[in-house]
Amino acid sequence: MVEVDKGKINKSKSRKSKRLPDIDLKSLIIGAVVFLFFPVVAYNKGLDLFTMFAAIGPLYIGYRAKTKLKAAILGFIAAIPLLYAATMGALGPIGAGVTTVSQFNEILIGICIFILGLGALISVLGAYLYQSRSKARAEYEAKKGESTKNKPI
């Protein structure tokens, strides 16, 4: 793998597959932990306003994903730990006062759709922020390059 004469890694023999998407696993794990951490701590300590900081996790995932489709998929995946915590009762009792199983199932399905959709939606917003920032940066660089100020005539 290492060329003897130059001491550099030969890039032609990389094992990275061209068909697999480039997923930043570190940002996925950090985003999922943040998305889970803030609501659980907020519920246990009684700080409801602390819950809004949970959106930082999917925003970070979407910003690092760079495309909206990949961001939606990764946000959906990152919401699974929060969904598990919610269904196990870490965020409070589910369906207090529900008398039938069908009512409980409807509530549970609604919670699942809401949490998974929220993770995907916030991640798409993060990807949109990345795209708009990179577009603005490119426009700034183009504008900076064509400045006519202080040029000799």
Side-chain angles (χ1 to χ4, degrees):
M1 287 283 199
V2 178
E3 293 180 20
V4 177
D5 56 347
K6 295 181 182 178
K8 295 182 180 178
I9 296 174
N10 189 359
K11 293 186 180 182
S12 64
K13 294 182 181 179
S14 68
R15 295 183 182 208
K16 194 171 190 180
S17 175
K18 301 292 181 189
R19 295 181 358 197
L20 293 175
D22 186 28
I23 295 174
D24 189 3
L25 193 60
K26 180 179 137 185
S27 69
L28 178 64
I29 292 170
I30 290 172
V33 167
V34 168
F35 197 40
L36 174 65
F37 172 76
F38 283 109
V40 170
V41 170
Y43 176 74
N44 289 331
K45 301 293 182 185
L47 304 169
D48 291 337
L49 291 177
F50 200 55
T51 305
M52 69 181 164
F53 294 109
I56 295 170
L59 279 174
Y60 179 65
I61 292 169
Y63 193 84
R64 298 288 295 198
K66 300 176 184 168
T67 62
K68 291 179 184 176
L69 179 63
K70 189 166 53 169
I73 293 169
L74 292 178
F76 188 85
I77 292 169
I80 292 174
L82 182 62
L83 176 66
Y84 180 75
T87 56
M88 292 297 123
L91 301 177
I94 299 175
V98 174
T99 56
T100 64
V101 175
S102 65
Q103 289 177 341
F104 182 75
N105 288 339
E106 290 173 5
I107 291 171
L108 193 60
I109 290 171
I111 290 172
C112 292
I113 291 171
F114 178 74
I115 290 176
L116 294 174
L118 188 65
L121 182 68
I122 296 173
S123 294
V124 168
L125 178 64
Y128 174 75
L129 291 174
Y130 172 80
Q131 291 172 353
S132 65
R133 173 143 170 79
S134 62
K135 183 177 160 184
R137 182 181 291 158
E139 289 175 0
Y140 174 74
E141 292 296 326
K143 184 179 176 184
K144 184 178 174 184
E146 64 185 39
S147 177
T148 60
K149 190 176 183 180
N150 295 332
K151 286 189 176 178
I153 297 177

